[in-house]
Amino acid sequence: MKIVISDGERFLNNLLKKWGYEVLVAEDGPQALRLLQQENPPKVAIFSCEMKNLSGIEVCSRLRQAVKEPYIYLVLLTSTSQKDDLIEGLAAGADDYVIKPFDAYELRARL
């Protein structure tokens, strides 16, 4: 299964490949949107709230407005545990929110 992740997530990239996923790395928010709007898009995206040129929250919001089918499971990564950020991300269309540093076994169970 293909998964889109944000650039700079080397540990996540290596972990997902170890688990057998095909990883596509988005250099910034606009590239993440392009990868997720292509024909036969990845079923999962895990990206940072702090992406370049377009935040992860913006990517969630724009993707949910533009793409209804197929459904893409969106996970936001953040280094902050502020409730307001979590609520904003979920309201924008994220399905899940993972706070860094994250537990690899917990992430694997979520996927």
Side-chain angles (χ1 to χ4, degrees):
M1 176 171 60
K2 291 188 285 187
I3 296 180
V4 172
I5 66 169
S6 53
D7 190 31
E9 301 295 337
R10 284 189 172 87
F11 174 72
L12 178 61
N13 189 350
N14 293 335
L15 195 60
L16 292 171
K17 285 180 178 179
K18 179 180 169 186
W19 293 340
Y21 292 101
E22 180 183 343
V23 180
L24 305 174
V25 179
E27 293 180 19
D28 60 12
Q31 185 181 22
L33 270 177
R34 285 191 299 277
L35 289 170
L36 294 168
Q37 291 177 319
Q38 68 187 358
E39 190 172 323
N40 298 316
K43 295 180 182 193
V44 177
I46 305 171
F47 42 80
S48 174
C49 289
E50 297 83 25
M51 292 178 76
K52 294 182 281 182
N53 300 321
L54 196 61
S55 74
I57 291 172
E58 281 260 351
V59 171
C60 286
S61 179
R62 289 184 186 191
L63 186 67
R64 291 296 186 232
Q65 290 172 7
V67 178
K68 303 298 181 205
E69 295 292 327
Y71 191 82
I72 300 168
Y73 189 78
L74 302 175
V75 179
L76 287 174
L77 289 175
T78 185
S79 56
T80 179
S81 59
Q82 299 293 323
K83 285 276 189 199
D84 291 343
D85 293 338
L86 182 137
I87 292 168
E88 183 181 10
L90 294 175
D95 295 291
D96 209 344
Y97 214 90
V98 176
I99 298 169
K100 297 189 278 186
F102 59 88
D103 181 276
Y105 297 107
E106 182 181 338
L107 178 64
R108 189 169 191 184
R110 290 173 188 229
L111 294 175

Tab-separated table of all heavy atoms in Angstrom, residues 55-111:
chain	number	residue	atom	x	y	z
A	55	SER	N	0.378	24.506	5.040
A	55	SER	CA	0.426	23.706	6.257
A	55	SER	C	-0.316	22.378	6.077
A	55	SER	O	-1.169	22.234	5.202
A	55	SER	CB	-0.205	24.476	7.422
A	55	SER	OG	-1.609	24.501	7.305
A	56	GLY	N	0.006	21.428	6.931
A	56	GLY	CA	-0.686	20.153	6.902
A	56	GLY	C	-2.185	20.304	7.130
A	56	GLY	O	-2.994	19.590	6.536
A	57	ILE	N	-2.561	21.254	7.966
A	57	ILE	CA	-3.982	21.518	8.221
A	57	ILE	C	-4.659	22.038	6.954
A	57	ILE	O	-5.763	21.623	6.609
A	57	ILE	CB	-4.146	22.478	9.413
A	57	ILE	CG1	-3.716	21.759	10.700
A	57	ILE	CG2	-5.581	22.992	9.526
A	57	ILE	CD1	-3.637	22.628	11.927
A	58	GLU	N	-3.964	22.924	6.217
A	58	GLU	CA	-4.504	23.432	4.943
A	58	GLU	C	-4.639	22.306	3.927
A	58	GLU	O	-5.608	22.261	3.177
A	58	GLU	CB	-3.591	24.505	4.365
A	58	GLU	CG	-3.736	25.831	4.996
A	58	GLU	CD	-4.596	26.786	4.189
A	58	GLU	OE1	-4.989	26.538	3.029
A	58	GLU	OE2	-4.877	27.818	4.766
A	59	VAL	N	-3.657	21.419	3.883
A	59	VAL	CA	-3.713	20.296	2.948
A	59	VAL	C	-4.939	19.445	3.252
A	59	VAL	O	-5.684	19.074	2.347
A	59	VAL	CB	-2.416	19.449	2.997
A	59	VAL	CG1	-2.570	18.170	2.183
A	59	VAL	CG2	-1.228	20.258	2.504
A	60	CYS	N	-5.178	19.156	4.523
A	60	CYS	CA	-6.363	18.381	4.920
A	60	CYS	C	-7.635	19.061	4.437
A	60	CYS	O	-8.500	18.434	3.818
A	60	CYS	CB	-6.434	18.237	6.437
A	60	CYS	SG	-5.272	17.085	7.145
A	61	SER	N	-7.745	20.333	4.731
A	61	SER	CA	-8.947	21.085	4.376
A	61	SER	C	-9.182	21.101	2.862
A	61	SER	O	-10.287	20.827	2.391
A	61	SER	CB	-8.826	22.515	4.912
A	61	SER	OG	-9.954	23.261	4.579
A	62	ARG	N	-8.147	21.411	2.108
A	62	ARG	CA	-8.284	21.487	0.637
A	62	ARG	C	-8.578	20.121	0.038
A	62	ARG	O	-9.384	20.004	-0.893
A	62	ARG	CB	-7.037	22.082	0.018
A	62	ARG	CG	-6.895	23.552	0.317
A	62	ARG	CD	-5.715	24.152	-0.385
A	62	ARG	NE	-5.525	25.536	0.021
A	62	ARG	CZ	-4.710	26.358	-0.590
A	62	ARG	NH1	-4.007	25.967	-1.630
A	62	ARG	NH2	-4.580	27.605	-0.154
A	63	LEU	N	-7.941	19.090	0.560
A	63	LEU	CA	-8.175	17.752	0.036
A	63	LEU	C	-9.614	17.314	0.301
A	63	LEU	O	-10.276	16.770	-0.585
A	63	LEU	CB	-7.197	16.757	0.654
A	63	LEU	CG	-7.261	15.353	0.061
A	63	LEU	CD1	-6.775	15.354	-1.382
A	63	LEU	CD2	-6.453	14.391	0.891
A	64	ARG	N	-10.108	17.561	1.496
A	64	ARG	CA	-11.484	17.161	1.830
A	64	ARG	C	-12.510	17.910	0.979
A	64	ARG	O	-13.554	17.366	0.644
A	64	ARG	CB	-11.772	17.381	3.317
A	64	ARG	CG	-11.011	16.438	4.228
A	64	ARG	CD	-11.421	15.000	4.020
A	64	ARG	NE	-10.775	14.132	4.995
A	64	ARG	CZ	-10.100	13.046	4.678
A	64	ARG	NH1	-9.973	12.676	3.428
A	64	ARG	NH2	-9.551	12.312	5.626
A	65	GLN	N	-12.205	19.144	0.610
A	65	GLN	CA	-13.109	19.911	-0.252
A	65	GLN	C	-13.076	19.410	-1.692
A	65	GLN	O	-14.093	19.385	-2.367
A	65	GLN	CB	-12.750	21.397	-0.225
A	65	GLN	CG	-13.066	22.072	1.088
A	65	GLN	CD	-12.516	23.489	1.150
A	65	GLN	OE1	-12.006	24.024	0.177
A	65	GLN	NE2	-12.612	24.102	2.323
A	66	ALA	N	-11.908	18.972	-2.149
A	66	ALA	CA	-11.731	18.620	-3.555
A	66	ALA	C	-11.985	17.150	-3.868
A	66	ALA	O	-12.445	16.822	-4.952
A	66	ALA	CB	-10.308	18.985	-3.991
A	67	VAL	N	-11.662	16.257	-2.945
A	67	VAL	CA	-11.717	14.815	-3.228
A	67	VAL	C	-12.671	14.128	-2.254
A	67	VAL	O	-12.442	14.147	-1.053
A	67	VAL	CB	-10.303	14.179	-3.110
A	67	VAL	CG1	-10.375	12.684	-3.353
A	67	VAL	CG2	-9.333	14.836	-4.067
A	68	LYS	N	-13.711	13.544	-2.797
A	68	LYS	CA	-14.662	12.799	-1.956
A	68	LYS	C	-14.395	11.297	-2.036
A	68	LYS	O	-14.538	10.582	-1.057
A	68	LYS	CB	-16.102	13.083	-2.395
A	68	LYS	CG	-16.470	14.559	-2.372
A	68	LYS	CD	-16.386	15.146	-0.993
A	68	LYS	CE	-16.796	16.608	-1.014
A	68	LYS	NZ	-16.244	17.383	0.045
A	69	GLU	N	-14.043	10.815	-3.207
A	69	GLU	CA	-13.774	9.398	-3.441
A	69	GLU	C	-12.503	9.262	-4.255
A	69	GLU	O	-12.299	10.057	-5.165
A	69	GLU	CB	-14.930	8.740	-4.192
A	69	GLU	CG	-16.224	8.691	-3.415
A	69	GLU	CD	-16.183	7.766	-2.218
A	69	GLU	OE1	-15.476	6.746	-2.290
A	69	GLU	OE2	-16.834	8.063	-1.221
A	70	PRO	N	-11.668	8.336	-3.996
A	70	PRO	CA	-11.684	7.418	-2.866
A	70	PRO	C	-11.286	8.138	-1.586
A	70	PRO	O	-10.574	9.148	-1.624
A	70	PRO	CB	-10.637	6.372	-3.243
A	70	PRO	CG	-9.662	7.125	-4.087
A	70	PRO	CD	-10.483	8.139	-4.839
A	71	TYR	N	-11.756	7.614	-0.473
A	71	TYR	CA	-11.455	8.236	0.811
A	71	TYR	C	-9.988	8.007	1.154
A	71	TYR	O	-9.466	6.903	0.996
A	71	TYR	CB	-12.340	7.657	1.918
A	71	TYR	CG	-12.237	8.450	3.194
A	71	TYR	CD1	-12.982	9.613	3.352
A	71	TYR	CD2	-11.375	8.057	4.205
A	71	TYR	CE1	-12.869	10.365	4.507
A	71	TYR	CE2	-11.259	8.806	5.365
A	71	TYR	CZ	-12.009	9.960	5.512
A	71	TYR	OH	-11.893	10.713	6.657
A	72	ILE	N	-9.312	9.055	1.604
A	72	ILE	CA	-7.906	8.979	1.994
A	72	ILE	C	-7.820	9.243	3.490
A	72	ILE	O	-8.335	10.247	3.985
A	72	ILE	CB	-7.063	10.004	1.211
A	72	ILE	CG1	-7.162	9.722	-0.292
A	72	ILE	CG2	-5.605	9.965	1.687
A	72	ILE	CD1	-6.601	10.830	-1.165
A	73	TYR	N	-7.184	8.332	4.204
A	73	TYR	CA	-7.015	8.447	5.651
A	73	TYR	C	-5.865	9.412	5.923
A	73	TYR	O	-4.735	9.187	5.482
A	73	TYR	CB	-6.716	7.057	6.239
A	73	TYR	CG	-6.733	7.004	7.734
A	73	TYR	CD1	-7.929	6.961	8.436
A	73	TYR	CD2	-5.549	6.966	8.454
A	73	TYR	CE1	-7.945	6.896	9.823
A	73	TYR	CE2	-5.549	6.895	9.838
A	73	TYR	CZ	-6.758	6.856	10.515
A	73	TYR	OH	-6.766	6.791	11.884
A	74	LEU	N	-6.149	10.515	6.623
A	74	LEU	CA	-5.180	11.582	6.856
A	74	LEU	C	-4.752	11.632	8.319
A	74	LEU	O	-5.596	11.729	9.212
A	74	LEU	CB	-5.777	12.936	6.471
A	74	LEU	CG	-6.267	13.081	5.032
A	74	LEU	CD1	-6.937	14.437	4.834
A	74	LEU	CD2	-5.125	12.883	4.053
A	75	VAL	N	-3.439	11.581	8.531
A	75	VAL	CA	-2.871	11.651	9.873
A	75	VAL	C	-1.943	12.856	9.936
A	75	VAL	O	-1.060	13.012	9.088
A	75	VAL	CB	-2.067	10.379	10.213
A	75	VAL	CG1	-1.467	10.472	11.609
A	75	VAL	CG2	-2.941	9.135	10.079
A	76	LEU	N	-2.145	13.711	10.917
A	76	LEU	CA	-1.266	14.863	11.124
A	76	LEU	C	-0.243	14.554	12.200
A	76	LEU	O	-0.574	13.969	13.230
A	76	LEU	CB	-2.086	16.090	11.545
A	76	LEU	CG	-2.916	16.750	10.458
A	76	LEU	CD1	-3.785	17.852	11.059
A	76	LEU	CD2	-2.034	17.312	9.370
A	77	LEU	N	0.995	14.949	11.956
A	77	LEU	CA	2.084	14.834	12.933
A	77	LEU	C	2.377	16.222	13.476
A	77	LEU	O	2.429	17.187	12.721
A	77	LEU	CB	3.359	14.329	12.269
A	77	LEU	CG	3.431	12.896	11.823
A	77	LEU	CD1	4.746	12.658	11.090
A	77	LEU	CD2	3.307	11.952	12.982
A	78	THR	N	2.583	16.308	14.770
A	78	THR	CA	2.927	17.593	15.360
A	78	THR	C	3.816	17.392	16.577
A	78	THR	O	3.813	16.326	17.183
A	78	THR	CB	1.663	18.385	15.760
A	78	THR	OG1	2.042	19.678	16.213
A	78	THR	CG2	0.872	17.674	16.824
A	79	SER	N	4.547	18.419	16.897
A	79	SER	CA	5.383	18.359	18.097
A	79	SER	C	4.710	19.074	19.269
A	79	SER	O	5.243	19.116	20.365
A	79	SER	CB	6.751	18.977	17.823
A	79	SER	OG	6.594	20.289	17.346
A	80	THR	N	3.531	19.602	19.040
A	80	THR	CA	2.796	20.294	20.103
A	80	THR	C	1.591	19.464	20.540
A	80	THR	O	0.988	18.770	19.731
A	80	THR	CB	2.333	21.697	19.661
A	80	THR	OG1	1.599	22.302	20.719
A	80	THR	CG2	1.447	21.648	18.442
A	81	SER	N	1.257	19.556	21.800
A	81	SER	CA	0.096	18.810	22.300
A	81	SER	C	-1.038	19.772	22.697
A	81	SER	O	-1.876	19.426	23.520
A	81	SER	CB	0.495	17.941	23.485
A	81	SER	OG	1.012	18.735	24.529
A	82	GLN	N	-1.049	20.953	22.099
A	82	GLN	CA	-2.089	21.935	22.391
A	82	GLN	C	-3.446	21.438	21.889
A	82	GLN	O	-3.573	21.032	20.729
A	82	GLN	CB	-1.755	23.274	21.729
A	82	GLN	CG	-0.468	23.900	22.198
A	82	GLN	CD	-0.544	24.346	23.646
A	82	GLN	OE1	-1.572	24.816	24.104
A	82	GLN	NE2	0.550	24.177	24.362
A	83	LYS	N	-4.459	21.476	22.738
A	83	LYS	CA	-5.808	21.026	22.360
A	83	LYS	C	-6.358	21.805	21.175
A	83	LYS	O	-7.010	21.240	20.309
A	83	LYS	CB	-6.776	21.171	23.551
A	83	LYS	CG	-6.583	20.138	24.603
A	83	LYS	CD	-7.340	18.898	24.242
A	83	LYS	CE	-7.294	17.965	25.428
A	83	LYS	NZ	-7.588	16.625	25.096
A	84	ASP	N	-6.086	23.115	21.121
A	84	ASP	CA	-6.590	23.939	20.021
A	84	ASP	C	-6.058	23.445	18.674
A	84	ASP	O	-6.786	23.432	17.682
A	84	ASP	CB	-6.220	25.411	20.220
A	84	ASP	CG	-6.962	26.046	21.383
A	84	ASP	OD1	-7.978	25.474	21.843
A	84	ASP	OD2	-6.533	27.122	21.839
A	85	ASP	N	-4.780	23.052	18.631
A	85	ASP	CA	-4.191	22.545	17.396
A	85	ASP	C	-4.850	21.229	16.989
A	85	ASP	O	-5.147	21.011	15.822
A	85	ASP	CB	-2.685	22.333	17.558
A	85	ASP	CG	-1.927	23.631	17.736
A	85	ASP	OD1	-2.451	24.695	17.337
A	85	ASP	OD2	-0.813	23.593	18.285
A	86	LEU	N	-5.062	20.358	17.945
A	86	LEU	CA	-5.714	19.079	17.678
A	86	LEU	C	-7.113	19.297	17.118
A	86	LEU	O	-7.488	18.711	16.107
A	86	LEU	CB	-5.780	18.243	18.959
A	86	LEU	CG	-6.392	16.878	18.789
A	86	LEU	CD1	-5.569	15.848	19.544
A	86	LEU	CD2	-7.807	16.855	19.307
A	87	ILE	N	-7.872	20.175	17.748
A	87	ILE	CA	-9.244	20.462	17.304
A	87	ILE	C	-9.245	21.069	15.905
A	87	ILE	O	-10.047	20.693	15.052
A	87	ILE	CB	-9.955	21.383	18.325
A	87	ILE	CG1	-10.190	20.609	19.624
A	87	ILE	CG2	-11.255	21.924	17.760
A	87	ILE	CD1	-10.604	21.461	20.795
A	88	GLU	N	-8.310	21.990	15.648
A	88	GLU	CA	-8.220	22.619	14.326
A	88	GLU	C	-7.905	21.579	13.250
A	88	GLU	O	-8.500	21.585	12.171
A	88	GLU	CB	-7.148	23.713	14.335
A	88	GLU	CG	-7.039	24.457	13.023
A	88	GLU	CD	-5.961	25.521	13.019
A	88	GLU	OE1	-5.147	25.592	13.967
A	88	GLU	OE2	-5.919	26.283	12.043
A	89	GLY	N	-6.980	20.670	13.534
A	89	GLY	CA	-6.625	19.632	12.573
A	89	GLY	C	-7.771	18.683	12.278
A	89	GLY	O	-8.049	18.363	11.123
A	90	LEU	N	-8.467	18.247	13.309
A	90	LEU	CA	-9.605	17.343	13.107
A	90	LEU	C	-10.744	18.046	12.380
A	90	LEU	O	-11.394	17.467	11.516
A	90	LEU	CB	-10.074	16.776	14.444
A	90	LEU	CG	-9.078	15.854	15.149
A	90	LEU	CD1	-9.599	15.456	16.529
A	90	LEU	CD2	-8.761	14.630	14.314
A	91	ALA	N	-10.967	19.316	12.705
A	91	ALA	CA	-12.016	20.090	12.027
A	91	ALA	C	-11.691	20.289	10.545
A	91	ALA	O	-12.597	20.403	9.716
A	91	ALA	CB	-12.204	21.442	12.718
A	92	ALA	N	-10.405	20.323	10.219
A	92	ALA	CA	-9.989	20.503	8.826
A	92	ALA	C	-10.110	19.209	8.015
A	92	ALA	O	-9.976	19.228	6.799
A	92	ALA	CB	-8.547	21.005	8.765
A	93	GLY	N	-10.358	18.093	8.688
A	93	GLY	CA	-10.559	16.843	7.974
A	93	GLY	C	-9.575	15.739	8.285
A	93	GLY	O	-9.648	14.663	7.693
A	94	ALA	N	-8.643	15.974	9.196
A	94	ALA	CA	-7.718	14.901	9.584
A	94	ALA	C	-8.490	13.803	10.308
A	94	ALA	O	-9.441	14.078	11.037
A	94	ALA	CB	-6.621	15.451	10.483
A	95	ASP	N	-8.081	12.578	10.090
A	95	ASP	CA	-8.704	11.438	10.762
A	95	ASP	C	-8.025	11.118	12.084
A	95	ASP	O	-8.631	10.528	12.967
A	95	ASP	CB	-8.630	10.192	9.867
A	95	ASP	CG	-9.454	10.370	8.612
A	95	ASP	OD1	-10.688	10.408	8.719
A	95	ASP	OD2	-8.846	10.500	7.536
A	96	ASP	N	-6.759	11.497	12.179
A	96	ASP	CA	-5.997	11.167	13.369
A	96	ASP	C	-4.912	12.209	13.563
A	96	ASP	O	-4.568	12.948	12.641
A	96	ASP	CB	-5.371	9.779	13.227
A	96	ASP	CG	-5.190	9.067	14.551
A	96	ASP	OD1	-5.254	9.731	15.612
A	96	ASP	OD2	-4.971	7.845	14.522
A	97	TYR	N	-4.371	12.238	14.759
A	97	TYR	CA	-3.378	13.233	15.161
A	97	TYR	C	-2.344	12.513	15.997
A	97	TYR	O	-2.689	11.880	16.985
A	97	TYR	CB	-4.093	14.284	16.011
A	97	TYR	CG	-3.598	15.684	15.887
A	97	TYR	CD1	-4.129	16.538	14.947
A	97	TYR	CD2	-2.618	16.168	16.746
A	97	TYR	CE1	-3.698	17.851	14.852
A	97	TYR	CE2	-2.180	17.470	16.659
A	97	TYR	CZ	-2.722	18.296	15.707
A	97	TYR	OH	-2.285	19.590	15.618
A	98	VAL	N	-1.076	12.565	15.596
A	98	VAL	CA	-0.015	11.885	16.317
A	98	VAL	C	0.990	12.921	16.795
A	98	VAL	O	1.463	13.740	16.014
A	98	VAL	CB	0.669	10.831	15.425
A	98	VAL	CG1	1.834	10.184	16.150
A	98	VAL	CG2	-0.333	9.780	14.981
A	99	ILE	N	1.299	12.871	18.084
A	99	ILE	CA	2.235	13.829	18.681
A	99	ILE	C	3.634	13.217	18.692
A	99	ILE	O	3.824	12.080	19.120
A	99	ILE	CB	1.783	14.213	20.102
A	99	ILE	CG1	0.421	14.892	20.029
A	99	ILE	CG2	2.807	15.124	20.766
A	99	ILE	CD1	-0.248	15.088	21.357
A	100	LYS	N	4.598	13.986	18.158
A	100	LYS	CA	5.994	13.543	18.142
A	100	LYS	C	6.653	13.869	19.470
A	100	LYS	O	6.360	14.902	20.044
A	100	LYS	CB	6.771	14.250	17.013
A	100	LYS	CG	6.271	13.926	15.629
A	100	LYS	CD	7.185	14.458	14.544
A	100	LYS	CE	6.950	15.911	14.252
A	100	LYS	NZ	7.719	16.414	13.099
A	101	PRO	N	7.529	13.041	19.959
A	101	PRO	CA	7.904	11.760	19.375
A	101	PRO	C	6.790	10.738	19.581
A	101	PRO	O	6.132	10.732	20.617
A	101	PRO	CB	9.166	11.374	20.150
A	101	PRO	CG	9.026	12.060	21.468
A	101	PRO	CD	8.262	13.323	21.197
A	102	PHE	N	6.576	9.907	18.599
A	102	PHE	CA	5.482	8.936	18.669
A	102	PHE	C	6.024	7.537	18.924
A	102	PHE	O	7.183	7.241	18.668
A	102	PHE	CB	4.655	8.954	17.381
A	102	PHE	CG	5.434	8.651	16.138
A	102	PHE	CD1	5.610	7.351	15.710
A	102	PHE	CD2	6.004	9.673	15.392
A	102	PHE	CE1	6.329	7.065	14.568
A	102	PHE	CE2	6.726	9.400	14.242
A	102	PHE	CZ	6.890	8.096	13.831
A	103	ASP	N	5.158	6.686	19.400
A	103	ASP	CA	5.484	5.289	19.633
A	103	ASP	C	5.230	4.522	18.333
A	103	ASP	O	4.116	4.558	17.797
A	103	ASP	CB	4.609	4.745	20.767
A	103	ASP	CG	4.901	3.305	21.072
A	103	ASP	OD1	4.337	2.427	20.370
A	103	ASP	OD2	5.700	3.052	21.994
A	104	ALA	N	6.239	3.853	17.830
A	104	ALA	CA	6.127	3.148	16.555
A	104	ALA	C	5.030	2.085	16.578
A	104	ALA	O	4.297	1.922	15.603
A	104	ALA	CB	7.465	2.513	16.193
A	105	TYR	N	4.893	1.372	17.678
A	105	TYR	CA	3.875	0.320	17.765
A	105	TYR	C	2.463	0.908	17.750
A	105	TYR	O	1.549	0.337	17.160
A	105	TYR	CB	4.089	-0.536	19.011
A	105	TYR	CG	5.414	-1.261	18.974
A	105	TYR	CD1	6.471	-0.866	19.777
A	105	TYR	CD2	5.610	-2.336	18.110
A	105	TYR	CE1	7.693	-1.518	19.736
A	105	TYR	CE2	6.833	-2.995	18.050
A	105	TYR	CZ	7.866	-2.579	18.860
A	105	TYR	OH	9.079	-3.214	18.810
A	106	GLU	N	2.297	2.043	18.377
A	106	GLU	CA	1.000	2.718	18.358
A	106	GLU	C	0.652	3.175	16.943
A	106	GLU	O	-0.482	2.994	16.482
A	106	GLU	CB	1.021	3.927	19.304
A	106	GLU	CG	-0.299	4.650	19.376
A	106	GLU	CD	-0.254	5.862	20.311
A	106	GLU	OE1	0.622	5.918	21.193
A	106	GLU	OE2	-1.101	6.748	20.131
A	107	LEU	N	1.613	3.757	16.249
A	107	LEU	CA	1.374	4.182	14.871
A	107	LEU	C	1.032	2.991	13.986
A	107	LEU	O	0.082	3.048	13.196
A	107	LEU	CB	2.593	4.926	14.309
A	107	LEU	CG	2.443	5.372	12.844
A	107	LEU	CD1	1.316	6.388	12.704
A	107	LEU	CD2	3.751	5.951	12.349
A	108	ARG	N	1.755	1.916	14.131
A	108	ARG	CA	1.479	0.730	13.323
A	108	ARG	C	0.073	0.198	13.572
A	108	ARG	O	-0.630	-0.198	12.638
A	108	ARG	CB	2.514	-0.362	13.602
A	108	ARG	CG	2.406	-1.512	12.641
A	108	ARG	CD	3.565	-2.441	12.745
A	108	ARG	NE	3.546	-3.376	11.628
A	108	ARG	CZ	4.392	-4.357	11.479
A	108	ARG	NH1	5.349	-4.535	12.370
A	108	ARG	NH2	4.311	-5.159	10.455
A	109	ALA	N	-0.363	0.201	14.811
A	109	ALA	CA	-1.723	-0.246	15.135
A	109	ALA	C	-2.762	0.666	14.499
A	109	ALA	O	-3.810	0.202	14.033
A	109	ALA	CB	-1.918	-0.305	16.649
A	110	ARG	N	-2.488	1.954	14.463
A	110	ARG	CA	-3.431	2.903	13.846
A	110	ARG	C	-3.543	2.678	12.339
A	110	ARG	O	-4.600	2.871	11.763
A	110	ARG	CB	-3.005	4.327	14.133
A	110	ARG	CG	-3.189	4.720	15.576
A	110	ARG	CD	-2.595	6.080	15.847
A	110	ARG	NE	-2.619	6.355	17.275
A	110	ARG	CZ	-3.068	7.479	17.798
A	110	ARG	NH1	-3.517	8.438	17.021
A	110	ARG	NH2	-3.055	7.642	19.090
A	111	LEU	N	-2.430	2.324	11.719
A	111	LEU	CA	-2.450	2.089	10.273
A	111	LEU	C	-3.130	0.785	9.941
A	111	LEU	O	-3.759	0.631	8.937
A	111	LEU	CB	-1.017	2.079	9.713
A	111	LEU	CG	-0.288	3.411	9.788
A	111	LEU	CD1	1.154	3.248	9.317
A	111	LEU	CD2	-0.989	4.462	8.938
